[in-house]
Amino acid sequence: MIFSLADTVVTSGLREAGYEYVHIDDCWVGSRNKSTSVLQPDYDRFPNGMKYVADHIHSLGLKFGIYSSVGLHPCTHGQYPRENESVPGSWGFYEMDAKTFANWGVDMVKMDFCDTVLSNGTQINPRQVGVMLGVSILRDTKG
């Protein structure tokens, strides 16, 4: 479905009209790798992984966007077909997820502010998230 959407952006003339992003919102993530904690896609939906998706979108002269949540889980947590799964957000893994997205060739990340109450009852503070994301970005730009 994502490939046909990207193809349609090109064949319909939308790319020439200035549309440049194909963005996958929620429901793409499957889990974190148990040994490395790296995000993994839902391989039932994306059997070849996200780099494969990005490569196809880039081959059409488009950019690839993806979704995550600053919290423990994405906004649709609990609405996945496999109800008992714990689908991860990016809380505690901002730097790792940023590197993973970069390795996949992601050009833009949309971050929602969902599931932001920690197990100890503390609410994640938006300013705290901004500082942590900023530190991760600065580390990446400095090597």
Side-chain angles (χ1 to χ4, degrees):
M1 181 172 173
I2 299 299
F3 286 0
S4 67
L5 175 69
D7 294 342
T8 300
V9 170
V10 174
T11 60
S12 68
L14 288 171
R15 182 183 63 191
E16 280 67 35
Y19 291 86
E20 58 183 335
Y21 282 93
V22 174
H23 187 91
I24 297 176
D25 209 280
D26 207 344
C27 298
W28 66 266
V29 70
S31 62
R32 288 195 180 275
N33 180 291
K34 291 191 188 316
S35 62
T36 65
S37 296
V38 171
L39 278 175
Q40 299 178 123
D42 179 335
Y43 284 110
D44 291 337
R45 293 181 175 151
F46 301 97
N48 297 308
M50 302 316 283
K51 177 143 178 47
Y52 182 78
V53 174
D55 288 347
H56 178 77
I57 291 170
H58 290 147
S59 76
L60 298 172
L62 297 168
K63 296 177 182 176
F64 176 49
I66 205 162
Y67 163 91
S68 189
S69 172
V70 301
L72 299 169
H73 304 284
C75 294
T76 59
H77 179 66
Q79 299 176 29
Y80 279 70
R82 297 176 296 263
E83 281 293 321
N84 61 347
E85 276 190 38
S86 178
V87 181
S90 288
W91 175 254
F93 295 95
Y94 297 140
E95 190 168 351
M96 178 182 289
D97 290 356
K99 288 178 181 177
T100 299
F101 296 147
N103 288 338
W104 289 345
V106 173
D107 300 296
M108 189 268 288
V109 179
K110 170 192 164 190
M111 297 291 280
D112 273 342
F113 201 74
C114 294
D115 199 10
T116 57
V117 177
L118 303 178
S119 60
N120 67 3
T122 304
Q123 173 73 42
I124 298 172
N125 180 310
R127 183 164 290 164
Q128 176 188 19
V129 170
V131 168
M132 291 186 326
L133 288 173
V135 167
S136 295
I137 291 167
L138 285 174
R139 279 191 199 127
D140 280 350
T141 59
K142 291 182 179 181

